[in-house]
Amino acid sequence: MTRRSTLTPARPLFIGAVAAEAVKLWTLRSHRVLSAVALLVIIGSGALLSVSTQARLTDPRFAGQTITAEPMQFVDSVLWAQIVVAVLAVLAVTGEYTSGQARLSLLALPGRSPWLAAKAVVLATLGFLIGVLGAAGSLGLSMLILPGSDVVYTPEPGEAVVLALHSGAYLGAIAVLATGLAAALRHVAGALTAVLGLLVVAPLLLSSIPGIQRAADYTPTYAGRRLISDFPSVAPSVAQLEPWVGFGVLALWAVVALLTAGVLLHARDA
């Protein structure tokens, strides 16, 4: 007589964990509101930029000048939306510790890693969707508003698709980075300070200090944004990072943050 194993296969278990995290994330109204805000930041900024670019045609200050626009301009607002996405990820993680939900979540799984991995997958997916839909909306509005005017703007549909996907990849990586830092620190104020300091303060601070300006190019924001924005290196005398190399640096930040959180999650009490 053989005994039937009662162990649940790893893959269905992880899928269940992802589904549970998705339900928990979308159940709270604050998370839905922040997601909508991030989308509106990207799409609204693109619409305003399109209108302001068209308005230059009748502005005396630009008389005689050729008014041009590039598709990359209409996804720059992704860099502002990253703050909302990062805050959303921090609140989604630290909120479980504040409410005690983290203990129940960990008890429902045979190990701690699936919980953290599932939360990272769900938040990365949400960040990706916000980036793709926001950039697509922004670029779509620019294609509706600017063509037919005297603004020189000739976007290619393929280029728009690539920029939308890149925007999603960028925000997805930012969400994972914020998830890792929040899970490592557990406290909402500390996690928000660390995440926003790393994304906003550190690049500006490093770029203003002579001798170490090049280090700013390797911060998450300055490195990752090369995937969606064409701007010069902080140190003009050296070659700037290639787009995918820069994104690789951002991805490395995210992976290190998540691995650190995983180690601490196993070392500490829930």
Side-chain angles (χ1 to χ4, degrees):
M1 182 176 178
T2 59
R3 297 180 59 186
R4 295 180 63 184
S5 174
T6 58
L7 294 178
T8 305
R11 183 173 179 181
L13 178 67
F14 182 69
I15 293 175
V18 170
E21 291 301 326
V23 170
K24 285 191 293 183
L25 178 68
W26 207 243
T27 297
L28 289 179
R29 181 182 298 176
S30 59
H31 295 162
R32 298 197 300 269
V33 170
L34 286 173
S35 299
V37 168
L39 271 173
L40 288 174
V41 166
I42 302 173
I43 297 174
S45 296
L48 289 174
L49 179 59
S50 297
V51 172
S52 64
T53 301
Q54 193 175 47
R56 292 185 180 184
L57 295 171
T58 56
D59 191 329
R61 293 174 299 176
F62 298 95
Q65 299 182 23
T66 301
I67 308 300
T68 63
E70 297 292 336
M72 275 189 174
Q73 294 176 255
F74 300 96
V75 298
D76 270 349
S77 50
V78 168
L79 299 172
W80 292 105
Q82 73 171 340
I83 297 175
V84 183
V85 171
V87 170
L88 171 59
V90 167
L91 294 180
V93 175
T94 57
E96 290 215 36
Y97 286 104
T98 302
S99 64
Q101 179 68 38
R103 293 186 180 90
L104 297 176
S105 298
L106 294 174
L107 284 173
L109 296 168
R112 298 188 173 191
S113 297
W115 171 75
L116 181 60
K119 191 167 284 292
V121 166
V122 169
L123 288 167
T125 301
L126 180 59
F128 178 80
L129 291 175
I130 290 173
V132 170
L133 295 177
S138 178
L139 288 165
L141 286 175
S142 72
M143 293 178 186
L144 288 174
I145 296 172
L146 295 180
S149 67
D150 291 331
V151 176
V152 179
Y153 181 56
T154 55
E156 296 291 335
E159 183 181 7
V161 171
V162 169
L163 278 174
L165 292 174
H166 286 184
S167 299
Y170 178 80
L171 289 185
I174 291 295
V176 174
L177 173 61
T179 299
L181 289 176
L185 296 173
R186 295 187 176 185
H187 191 274
V188 60
L192 285 175
T193 300
V195 170
L196 296 182
L198 184 60
L199 295 180
V200 180
V201 179
L204 297 176
L205 182 62
L206 290 174
S207 63
S208 66
I209 302 176
I212 61 170
Q213 292 177 322
R214 177 60 171 170
D217 284 335
Y218 293 89
T219 56
T221 299
Y222 279 15
R225 70 181 287 184
R226 296 198 178 280
L227 201 60
I228 57 174
S229 180
D230 185 16
F231 72 106
S233 171
V234 174
S237 59
V238 297
Q240 65 183 31
L241 297 176
E242 293 296 324
W244 283 109
V245 174
F247 181 76
V249 173
L250 169 59
L252 181 61
W253 276 97
V255 169
V256 170
L258 200 62
L259 289 178
T260 301
V263 171
L264 293 176
L265 184 63
H266 285 83
R268 300 183 298 200
D269 292 334

